[in-house]
Amino acid sequence: MSDTSLAKQHQTIKQQLETFAHQYYVLDEPSVPDAEYDRLMQALIALEKQDPSLRTPDSPSQKVGGAVLSKFETVAHEIPMLSLDNGFADDDLLAFEQRILDRLNMTSEIEFACEPKLDGLAVSIMYENGVLTRAATRGDGQSGENITENVKTIANVPLRLRGDKLPERLEVRGEVFMPKEGFEALNAAQKQKQAKTFVNPRNAAAGSLRQLDSKITASRPLRLYAYSVGVIEGGAIEQASTHSERLEALAEMGLPLCKETDTVKGAQACIDYFNKIGRMRANLSYDIDGVVFKVNNIELQTRLGFVSKAPRWALAQKFPAQEEMTRLMAVEFQVGRTGAITPVARLEPVFVGGVTVSNATLHNQDEIERLGVRVGDTVIIRRAGDVIPQVVSVVLDKRPDDAEEIVFPSHCPICESHVEKIASEAVARCTGGLVCSAQRKEAIKHFASRKALDIDGLGDKLVEQLVEQKLIENPADLFHLSLPQLTSLDRFGDKSAVNLLRALDAAKETTLPRFLYALGIREVGEATARNLALHFLSLEEVIKASFEALVEVQDVGEVVARHIFEFMHEPSNQSIIQKLQEAGVHWPVIELAPIEQQPFAGKTIVLTGTLSQMGRSEAKAKLQELGAKVSSSVSAKTDLLIAGEKAGSKLAKASELGIETWDEQALVDFLASR
């Protein structure tokens, strides 16, 4: 058979399989028996073995899984995948609507898009010119894990979108879950193999989606429901004026949607929808833990904007948490990385919301006093939001005569240092700092973590072993470890020791933002560390900065400024910082021109298309260093558009608005001239 004939036969079978899969998994209207689908799939695979060039990324054969990965790579989200604010009562929905009306200065009822909140895992799926090119977990909202090969195996996820005039780039966001029927069948199969069963569908979905061997994922009954979009470049969906119109556009492109979605007007109608879904909950084919309400109008969404980690235009209304009674056997006090003392209730094990709970948080001393709880009490346990176990009340009628009061420690249970409680804070803290082994372990773990100094091979268990063996007492000691010290550890051979020493040496070369983040200053995350570095340009300036100067830093309020100031003026912390620098930890000097010399100061710049000479992240960072605000969308406020290859709708819109446009080479030449 000729190559042309093979290709035609392959294309015909491929189209048939795509049509049958769409009918079966998305429309729920199968037109052929399973045996016919399987026969065609085997025929397709046989053709691709005969001519491997036919095996394209969007071939249905990719549904069976591929090569085993050694680890998941990290993927940065171009648009953050934010979490949602939660509500738990009707008043929360009413207050949510009122906040929206007040901010928009409106009195008429708002239209909301309503959808069940699936109990699964949020994912981002990127399509380029209609073909699935990348999929990632939500992760921390800023970046996640690359799970492309696993998502490709999910039966109802199209590898190629349907229709004409598809977007050049489209990021679909949705929830991967395991239907109840599939979960029960999976557990039955696990029992038959005498393998470990899963506690609930969410755990089963999570374990299945994060398999390094995508063939395992392919064997699990996972499904996806799309619920929103991220990046949109081109296509009819870009013109949609409402969230519900965007969902309709996704459906037309072959993406599966939850059938129980609806649009309603006003908070009371939202409450009615919430109650209706609540009554349906037990009979749905999938698990849910609430309902999500979104302002339907996209323009109103834009006007409402976001708070730090959540959109103002959406609310996740949770169902009442599942509760059970059990007995509080004891209370232990744990010490966290920042010295926070947290009381943990040890319970008689009880099955709540699909998991066995034996521990629950009591939060702090104020909460213990509010509850009036004692050791020996019968307590009600709730999995808040169906996730975090907590003690919510005491059954006083069941209190035994020998119930004991819970005494909050005045000294650290680990190092015996004094416990301090600031009047304005609910949390009590150990004052032991780096002399407290609990804090020491967690501080070093944080210091070595991926987003800090990223010391490859230095895992949590190894840190604990190094501290317990008294080989290290602070982060600086890491850089003085020797080969004999490491090989003396249990199950740590010569090769592992050499690799760790090389990783430690490589970690000495870092950046100022990473170093500041690695220090573990309270409430100083990656963004704050980056803002500190760009504001002060050097560690020395950060250390000597006054409280007033710190408050001037972008996104640093008085509370965070106080944490930074106190940390930097603590002699023991200064000593550790000095030791780290003496050990060779260093970073390049940040050369940021004065604002009057920043060519893009006050300018809004948009990047679009594919940049072949530098990544978007690198280009964005360089533009920000020159004073630019880098936006994701073109508007009348945009000052400059930088268009890479395959630039689409943003370039067209910029042209319509008369916005100055550069190609990538112009940007490269400009940066080279600085």
Side-chain angles (χ1 to χ4, degrees):
M1 190 178 295
S2 69
D3 291 348
T4 303
S5 180
L6 273 177
K8 285 182 178 178
Q9 186 178 354
H10 181 272
Q11 184 65 20
T12 298
I13 296 175
K14 175 181 169 183
Q15 290 175 349
Q16 286 179 316
L17 286 169
E18 288 173 344
T19 299
F20 295 156
H22 180 71
Q23 291 170 342
Y24 188 96
Y25 294 112
V26 180
L27 302 180
D28 199 21
E29 296 173 355
S31 59
V32 295
D34 290 349
E36 174 63 12
Y37 183 90
D38 294 339
R39 184 189 67 77
L40 287 171
M41 179 65 80
Q42 292 306 311
L44 186 81
I45 292 171
L47 288 172
E48 290 178 353
K49 284 182 178 178
Q50 191 173 345
D51 183 355
S53 68
L54 298 174
R55 192 183 299 113
T56 55
D58 62 327
S59 171
S61 65
Q62 301 302 297
K63 292 285 183 186
V64 301
V68 179
L69 301 176
S70 59
K71 65 176 183 178
F72 291 115
E73 297 177 350
T74 299
V75 173
H77 299 302
E78 293 182 36
I79 299 175
M81 294 184 71
L82 301 178
S83 55
L84 299 179
D85 285 336
N86 292 327
F88 297 93
D90 291 354
D91 288 347
D92 294 329
L93 264 172
L94 295 169
F96 169 60
E97 181 186 48
Q98 192 58 52
R99 287 195 301 272
I100 291 171
L101 293 173
D102 291 345
R103 181 167 285 273
L104 296 175
N105 196 25
M106 291 174 58
T107 56
S108 57
E109 287 186 321
I110 299 289
E111 185 177 67
F112 292 96
C114 319
E115 56 203 45
K117 185 177 181 299
L118 278 79
D119 196 13
L121 292 92
V123 297
S124 159
I125 306 176
M126 181 67 76
Y127 289 90
E128 296 185 3
N129 297 313
V131 177
L132 193 161
T133 57
R134 191 193 69 209
T137 61
R138 177 183 178 275
D140 61 5
Q142 301 295 324
S143 60
E145 293 179 319
N146 189 328
I147 52 169
T148 305
E149 297 308 311
N150 289 353
V151 167
K152 281 183 175 181
T153 71
I154 299 175
N156 68 342
V157 173
L159 301 180
R160 175 182 288 276
L161 299 178
R162 303 169 67 84
D164 300 320
K165 298 180 180 179
L166 296 171
E168 293 171 22
R169 297 177 79 235
L170 175 65
E171 179 191 8
V172 177
R173 293 180 174 179
E175 196 87 358
V176 172
F177 63 99
M178 188 173 289
K180 295 175 183 176
E181 183 178 355
F183 169 72
E184 291 168 2
L186 174 61
N187 263 355
Q190 292 290 100
K191 286 180 181 177
Q192 191 170 6
K193 294 187 295 185
Q194 295 185 334
K196 182 180 178 181
T197 58
F198 296 92
V199 174
N200 54 48
R202 189 186 190 283
N203 285 354
S208 301
L209 195 59
R210 295 196 70 258
Q211 293 287 332
L212 292 171
D213 184 353
S214 59
K215 290 185 176 66
I216 297 176
T217 307
S219 70
R220 303 282 173 80
L222 297 176
R223 295 293 182 268
L224 169 91
Y225 278 158
Y227 59 67
S228 70
V229 295
V231 176
I232 306 175
E233 293 183 7
I237 191 172
E238 196 171 37
Q239 309 305 317
S241 62
T242 65
H243 176 75
S244 54
E245 288 175 2
R246 283 181 172 177
L247 292 183
E248 290 172 8
L250 291 179
E252 290 174 2
M253 286 184 274
L255 287 152
L257 307 179
C258 178
K259 296 178 181 178
E260 281 72 35
T261 58
D262 202 356
T263 55
V264 302
K265 280 194 174 182
Q268 186 55 54
C270 288
I271 292 170
D272 294 341
Y273 175 88
F274 178 82
N275 292 334
K276 180 183 77 171
I277 293 296
R279 291 190 295 270
M280 297 168 59
R281 184 182 184 186
N283 297 319
L284 292 173
S285 63
Y286 47 85
D287 274 355
I288 60 175
D289 58 4
V291 171
V292 175
F293 298 101
K294 302 172 183 175
V295 171
N296 199 30
N297 186 284
I298 303 299
E299 182 183 353
L300 294 185
Q301 288 185 8
T302 303
R303 286 171 58 189
L304 288 165
F306 305 82
V307 291
S308 59
K309 292 186 177 180
R312 291 193 179 95
W313 41 265
L315 181 75
Q317 186 81 348
K318 297 294 192 72
F319 290 123
Q322 299 181 45
E323 298 178 345
E324 290 289 347
M325 286 196 305
T326 188
R327 188 163 175 258
L328 194 156
M329 307 298 292
V331 174
E332 295 180 4
F333 294 90
Q334 296 182 345
V335 184
R337 178 174 62 84
T338 62
I341 310 290
T342 302
V344 177
R346 304 302 185 194
L347 311 166
E348 281 187 350
V350 60
F351 197 72
V352 186
V355 299
T356 299
V357 172
S358 56
N359 303 313
T361 180
L362 286 165
H363 298 292
N364 50 54
Q365 186 173 357
D366 293 347
E367 180 70 359
I368 290 173
E369 293 174 357
R370 186 190 70 80
L371 291 169
V373 64
R374 298 181 181 182
V375 174
D377 274 341
T378 295
V379 294
I380 294 176
I381 301 300
R382 173 189 297 163
R383 292 188 64 216
D386 286 352
V387 177
I388 304 169
Q390 62 178 333
V391 177
V392 293
S393 62
V394 178
V395 184
L396 292 175
D397 291 346
K398 294 181 176 289
R399 171 168 286 172
D401 293 336
D402 61 350
E404 300 176 6
E405 289 192 12
I406 299 169
V407 179
F408 212 89
S410 58
H411 291 80
C412 174
I414 302 297
C415 69
E416 292 297 320
S417 296
H418 175 65
V419 171
E420 182 180 47
K421 185 175 183 297
I422 299 173
S424 60
E425 295 186 351
V427 178
R429 298 181 187 277
C430 166
T431 58
L434 293 176
V435 305
C436 178
S437 62
Q439 294 180 67
R440 189 157 61 228
K441 287 179 182 178
E442 295 307 312
I444 295 171
K445 289 176 186 177
H446 174 77
F447 182 84
S449 63
R450 181 172 57 83
K451 294 178 181 178
L453 258 66
D454 192 18
I455 303 174
D456 190 29
L458 189 61
D460 290 356
K461 290 184 178 178
L462 180 55
V463 169
E464 290 173 6
Q465 197 175 359
L466 289 168
V467 172
E468 288 163 5
Q469 295 291 327
K470 298 184 179 180
L471 295 177
I472 57 173
E473 292 187 353
N474 59 64
D477 289 342
L478 289 168
F479 300 101
H480 299 290
L481 289 169
S482 67
L483 188 63
Q485 286 177 318
L486 291 174
T487 54
S488 70
L489 299 173
D490 291 341
R491 300 179 183 178
F492 208 74
D494 289 350
K495 185 177 180 181
S496 297
V498 169
N499 288 340
L500 178 57
L501 290 174
R502 287 174 178 168
L504 285 164
D505 192 56
K508 291 178 183 178
E509 185 175 346
T510 185
T511 65
L512 181 55
R514 276 181 172 268
F515 182 79
L516 290 170
Y517 174 72
L519 293 176
I521 305 168
R522 286 181 60 198
E523 298 189 42
V524 173
E526 291 176 274
T528 303
R530 184 169 55 252
N531 291 339
L532 281 169
L534 291 177
H535 186 92
F536 291 107
L537 303 183
S538 74
L539 177 62
E540 292 73 20
E541 292 299 317
V542 177
I543 291 173
K544 71 181 186 182
S546 66
F547 172 79
E548 291 74 18
L550 289 166
V551 174
E552 294 297 318
V553 178
Q554 181 181 347
D555 295 331
V556 173
E558 292 187 1
V559 173
V560 178
R562 179 61 59 192
H563 293 328
I564 298 167
F565 182 84
E566 291 180 354
F567 182 95
M568 291 300 180
H569 286 77
E570 169 59 45
S572 61
N573 294 332
Q574 292 177 353
S575 174
I576 297 300
I577 290 172
Q578 183 178 345
K579 288 179 180 179
L580 285 165
Q581 291 178 294
E582 290 172 351
V585 178
H586 65 283
W587 48 86
V589 174
I590 300 175
E591 296 181 352
L592 196 62
I595 191 166
E596 62 271 12
Q597 296 179 24
Q598 294 181 29
F600 296 134
K603 302 288 186 182
T604 299
I605 298 178
V606 174
L607 296 165
T608 188
T610 302
L611 301 180
S612 58
Q613 299 184 56
M614 67 177 73
R616 285 198 182 202
S617 298
E618 181 185 356
K620 181 178 179 180
K622 289 182 180 295
L623 290 169
Q624 288 174 329
E625 288 176 8
L626 295 176
K629 175 187 176 184
V630 181
S631 176
S632 61
S633 58
V634 175
S635 71
K637 295 181 180 179
T638 303
D639 296 294
L640 174 65
L641 178 84
I642 297 171
E645 298 173 8
K646 298 180 181 179
S649 57
K650 291 181 183 178
L651 179 59
K653 188 171 182 179
S655 178
E656 290 175 10
L657 295 172
I659 293 168
E660 183 181 0
T661 301
W662 293 2
D663 61 13
E664 183 183 6
Q665 190 58 50
L667 173 62
V668 171
D669 293 343
F670 181 84
L671 294 175
S673 69
R674 302 305 301 168

